[in-house]
Each structure stands twice: as structure tokens, then as C-alpha cells.
Amino acid sequence: MKRAFRCLLLAFMLLLVGQQVTYAAGTNIGLRVNNQNIRAVTADVKVNGQALRAEFPPYIHKGRTFVTIRELTENMGAQVKWNPQGKSVDINLNGKSINLKINSTKVVVNGQVRYVEENATPRLATYSYPRREGKTVVPLRFVSEALGFNVKWDANKKLVYIDNYVDQTPAPSKPNSSKPYIVIDPGHGGSDSGAVSQVDGTYEKTLNIQVANRLKSLLEGAGYPVLMTRYGDEGMGLYERADLANEAGADIYLSIHFNSFGNSKPTGIETYYHDTKPEDQALADYIQAELIRLTGAYNRGVKTANFCVIRETDMTAALVELGFLSNPDDMAAINSPGYLDTLAQALYNGLVKYDKNY
């Protein structure tokens, strides 16, 4: 009888260990979100140096880390109030407030309306472990930064560090120069790869930084002061990018991206400015004209869009999509010798023409 009990106890302990191993960071799990079954990867989170006490694990899906709202806010020391009728939640911490609504891109931060990307909306996720239960999950980076926390990501460990220690590093100040201070924003980075080529698996984030580095060299060679939102393969939030440019007192903001689509037909280059900032169209016009002139790519035109980085920046801003990673012809050009140099030269020409005329 005692032997049977010991065997049963050992089996139970092994089961617990197995469950812990199953949910180690980087483990694939299944969830049901918005009536769809998804596969996600678990992540670990540390809040002010302490491991997040989470019964239901944080997970990564489409480059975003989600965490159950109660467990995150309790570890932060925040107050949270759920409104079941409106399917919304209010979070308050140290005078900062956030109001989020399930499946809504609209978020109210300290009384001001902001927007998150579609793949970063708060949502209901049904876990199957440790038991089948629906939980409200929120985008970790956005909520943390809105509450004044710093966020860092360790891709190798699948570990997110968040803390609200005061950052003593001074914000970049505007250089003493007669030329405009230009921010180059290589889109995506870190765990957010951006688009992935359906032709050869190239990551958009890699192409963005390659073009950005070339452009930076051209601009600095001509005496323009330049600030990059990222210098390597690190992640950075959209509002964080805009805030960096605003705090630095920059004059021009250019976000660099490549496009993708669900099939291989779309092709070409396009440039965007925000529709509430019509004065930014001139910058977009100059950049688009030079891109088409030097590359000969299909001209998709100058357009308006509600992209965060061109909406939230206080200075003249534009966002470029330099070709489709989903199109074989575009990828053949992108991979050809000297093409990234040509793209950087076209961006440089457009910026200089804008500078001389405005």
C-alpha cells in the first residue's frame, strides 16, 4: 500500500514537472481568440526584476506579446476595473490612466485618444491550460509604456523586462546646425520582423535597416544631423519612436518600410503622409518622385494613411514602402547589386530637394 502511494505521488510530481516544462518560455501553445484557433509561443515577463506571477502564461502572436490584464496590473501595483457591458477596462497607476476596449484599436491614454495596430488590440483569449478559461489579454508593450514603464526584450530567452525606474539618460538634443535635423526610422526590429518575403524568406526589418544605414551615411556626408530610431536589431514601440523624435526636436521624420500582400501581383513603390498634416505632402511628393525616377519601379503614388509614426510626430513626416516582398520581380530588383544603394540615394535626393524648397 505504501509503495503504491509512493508511486502515485511520484507520478503526480512528474506530471507537475512536465507541465512546468511545457510552459517554459518559447513553448508553442494553442489558444482560441475571437472564435479562431491560433498557435502562439509563450514568453516570460519580469516586472521590476521580479518574475510575473501568472497562472495563465503570456504569449507571443504575430510579433506582439500579450498578457492577462489582471496578472499584469496586479504585479505592477495598478488598479483595474472591468466594464462587462461595454467590454472595456480602466487601468490606473500613479496618476496615469488607460481605457481599452476588447477588439478596438482606439485607446484612451490620460484622456487622449490613441490607436494601436490591428494585431495589438485587447482581446479575449481562451486558454486550455491550466484549465479551459477565457481571459482578457492586452498588448504588453503598449500598456506598460503608457503606464510609464520601460520595456526591453531578450529574443534569445523569450523574456520581456519591464520596469518603472527613472531613466537618467538625457533625451537626444537638437544639434546646432543650419541644416534640418532628420530622424530615420527603420521600421520593425527585434521580435517584430515586419513582412517576410514569400519568395526567399527575407525579413523586412533587415532590409529597412540596410537602407536606413545607407541613407544615414549620405545625409551625414552632406552635413545633415541624423538620429536613428534603432541602430541594430532591437524592438521599439511605435509611440516610442514618435516620442523619441519629438523629444529630440527633429525637423523631418522618415519611416522606411517594404510592402507585402497576400498574393504576388501587387508591385511598386508608394509614399505616405498623414491626412491631418497636409503640409507634409510636399515631402512625400519629392521622395516619391525621386524613388520612381531612379528605380523605374511601378509608381503607386503618394497617399494618406493613419500610421502612428506619421500621425504622432510633431515634425514633417513621411513613410515609404519601397517594394513588395511578396512580388518576385520586386524581390529580384531588391536583391540585385546596388539596388539598396539606389533606394537610399533616391530618399536622400528627395529629402535634399524638400530642404532646399521648404
Side-chain angles (χ1 to χ4, degrees):
M1 184 70 179
K2 289 183 178 179
R3 182 179 179 183
F5 177 79
R6 285 197 298 269
C7 290
L8 181 61
L9 180 61
L10 178 61
F12 180 71
M13 292 176 65
L14 288 173
L15 177 61
L16 290 178
V17 171
Q19 289 174 337
Q20 289 172 350
V21 171
T22 299
Y23 268 24
T27 300
N28 286 301
I29 62 171
L31 303 103
R32 190 163 181 81
V33 177
N34 296 334
N35 297 318
Q36 291 185 338
N37 294 324
I38 67 167
R39 300 299 298 179
V41 176
T42 59
D44 286 335
V45 177
K46 284 191 174 181
V47 181
N48 286 335
Q50 299 297 315
L52 179 72
R53 299 183 298 276
E55 184 180 12
F56 296 86
Y59 69 86
I60 305 167
H61 185 242
K62 293 186 177 180
R64 307 285 183 178
T65 302
F66 289 89
V67 62
T68 55
I69 189 167
R70 288 247 175 228
E71 291 169 326
L72 174 64
T73 53
E74 285 175 2
N75 278 263
M76 287 177 161
Q79 295 179 328
V80 59
K81 182 178 180 181
W82 168 250
N83 177 4
Q85 287 76 29
K87 291 186 176 180
S88 64
V89 62
D90 291 299
I91 307 171
N92 291 275
L93 177 67
N94 297 332
K96 294 182 172 63
S97 65
I98 312 174
N99 174 268
L100 311 99
K101 188 173 182 179
I102 297 296
N103 296 329
S104 175
T105 59
K106 181 180 177 181
V107 180
V108 181
V109 179
N110 299 325
Q112 296 185 336
V113 174
R114 288 190 173 187
Y115 292 88
V116 297
E117 304 295 320
E118 287 286 349
N119 64 345
T121 57
R123 58 197 60 186
L124 292 174
T126 300
Y127 286 81
S128 57
Y129 178 88
R131 59 185 175 277
R132 186 172 182 80
E133 186 171 323
K135 306 294 286 187
T136 301
V137 297
V138 293
L140 174 64
R141 178 176 287 275
F142 181 87
V143 170
S144 299
E145 291 178 347
L147 291 175
F149 282 73
N150 308 303
V151 181
K152 293 182 180 179
W153 165 248
D154 187 326
N156 294 325
K157 296 180 179 178
K158 295 290 188 294
L159 173 61
V160 185
Y161 298 91
I162 65 174
D163 67 71
N164 57 353
Y165 303 130
V166 177
D167 186 0
Q168 300 297 330
T169 305
S173 57
K174 186 173 183 177
N176 185 15
S177 173
S178 60
K179 292 182 178 292
Y181 191 15
I182 299 175
V183 173
I184 304 174
D185 172 34
H188 307 286
S191 62
D192 179 8
S193 66
V196 180
S197 173
Q198 301 169 22
V199 178
D200 62 8
T202 299
Y203 288 158
E204 179 193 354
K205 66 176 183 178
T206 303
L207 294 172
N208 293 342
I209 194 70
Q210 289 175 347
V211 173
N213 284 333
R214 287 166 167 80
L215 176 58
K216 177 176 181 289
S217 295
L218 291 172
L219 288 168
E220 289 182 337
Y224 287 90
V226 174
L227 174 65
M228 299 267 280
T229 58
R230 66 179 177 97
Y231 291 86
D233 188 20
E234 63 268 18
M236 194 176 194
L238 298 177
Y239 285 95
E240 192 177 0
R241 296 169 194 252
D243 289 344
L244 176 69
N246 292 338
E247 291 172 8
D251 302 298
I252 298 173
Y253 185 98
L254 178 63
S255 190
I256 296 174
H257 292 261
F258 284 79
N259 230 327
S260 184
F261 198 69
N263 62 58
S264 61
K265 291 183 179 180
T267 181
I269 293 174
E270 56 197 8
T271 304
Y272 290 89
Y273 67 98
H274 198 264
D275 56 7
T276 62
K277 300 164 67 178
E279 65 277 8
D280 292 6
Q281 182 177 353
L283 173 62
D285 285 340
Y286 280 117
I287 288 174
Q288 180 71 9
E290 286 299 306
L291 284 167
I292 300 306
R293 183 178 72 84
L294 291 191
T295 66
Y298 175 70
N299 187 356
R300 296 178 62 86
V302 171
K303 306 175 181 180
T304 60
N306 191 35
F307 298 136
C308 173
V309 292
I310 57 176
R311 182 187 69 237
E312 298 297 324
T313 41
D314 297 335
M315 69 291 305
T316 304
L319 183 148
V320 292
E321 297 279 5
L322 298 174
F324 280 79
L325 305 191
S326 50
N327 182 283
D329 293 333
D330 281 15
M331 282 305 301
I334 290 167
N335 289 327
S336 64
Y339 190 76
L340 298 186
D341 292 323
T342 300
L343 290 173
Q345 185 67 54
L347 295 173
Y348 168 81
N349 291 353
L351 288 165
V352 171
K353 286 190 175 183
Y354 175 80
D355 174 29
K356 290 181 177 178
N357 288 281
Y358 283 85

